[in-house]
Amino acid sequence: MLIVSRLFAVFVVFVTSLWIAGAAQAEVRVLTSIKPLQLIAAAVQDGVAVPEVLLPPGASPHNYALRPSDVRRVQSADLLYWIGPDMEGFLPRVLKGRSLPTVAVQELPGLKLRHFGEDNHSHGEEADDHDHDHRPGSLDAHLWLSPVNARVIATKMAADLSAADPANAARYQSNLQGFDGRLDALDVRLKARLAGIAGKPYFVFHEAFDYFEDAYGLKHTGVFSVAAEVQPGAQHVAAMRTRLQEVGKTCVFSEPPLRPRLAETLVAGLPVKLAELDALGGYTPATAQGYEQLLEKLGNDLVGCLESL
């Protein structure tokens, strides 16, 4: 009987030690608001855990409607990263009830931030060429499309994860160094790839790409910032067609998943190609190389259309 009792005691100690070790090594749950932040976090967490993302592919970060399950995820994640109120306007109210660490990356020191209208891009004569969220002088929150900013965000994530999970701190820092090195190589590739289209005119429906353009010497000729749910009047459509006629052969880029209803009307009978640029990378796998794939696809899609004219 004594031997059985001792064996039971040893078993209890063994199981308890395993439970304590498992609890100590429990992975840190990272939740990001949008896919690009998930891709940066995936590079930092590579080999340790896979970060989660709140918005599904195709959802708008400006006006997403949270489900009860989304709210629970927001409240329970160990670390939460979002761009900030200039992008995810639906989040501040929910974040008021959150007690765990939350980072609005637009507030990080060291970011290179832009504001709409600062480069005097051609937006047409009328004020309604600007949508409600992109008023001249307001913050351009598409900041993840700058590799410089991606490095700042990744550095913050690595520091936060190292503090929350010291056992894997060396891995996070090693991953950060690897991310930096891959971005250096990507920068070289993109500059070479995009050099041939510098100065070529093109138009976008949504003013989302200024950070990427600034990094690689590009500049869109015009932007058709018309809200997807609002059909512009005939006079407005005619004015935009006139601008396209003046330019001649060009590309007009919309963003997936939906092409604006206006697009086909705008380009009918003109030497203009319709194409897509995905600033959010909605279906990009959350792997260590995902962020580079997002930027490289933007470059390839720009070149693919403009070189085909």
Side-chain angles (χ1 to χ4, degrees), residues 101-162:
T102 301
V103 177
V105 300
Q106 72 178 48
E107 299 172 358
L108 293 178
L111 291 177
K112 182 180 180 181
L113 296 177
R114 300 178 57 85
H115 294 79
F116 289 112
E118 65 185 17
D119 283 344
N120 295 315
H121 284 312
S122 175
H123 297 144
E125 300 296 329
E126 301 178 23
D128 63 358
D129 268 6
H130 289 282
D131 64 30
H132 175 74
D133 298 306
H134 296 174
R135 293 181 300 273
S138 63
L139 176 68
D140 182 350
H142 304 85
L143 53 87
W144 65 86
L145 292 180
S146 161
V148 171
N149 291 342
R151 294 178 196 269
V152 173
I153 296 168
T155 300
K156 171 61 174 172
M157 289 177 171
D160 292 344
L161 284 162
S162 296

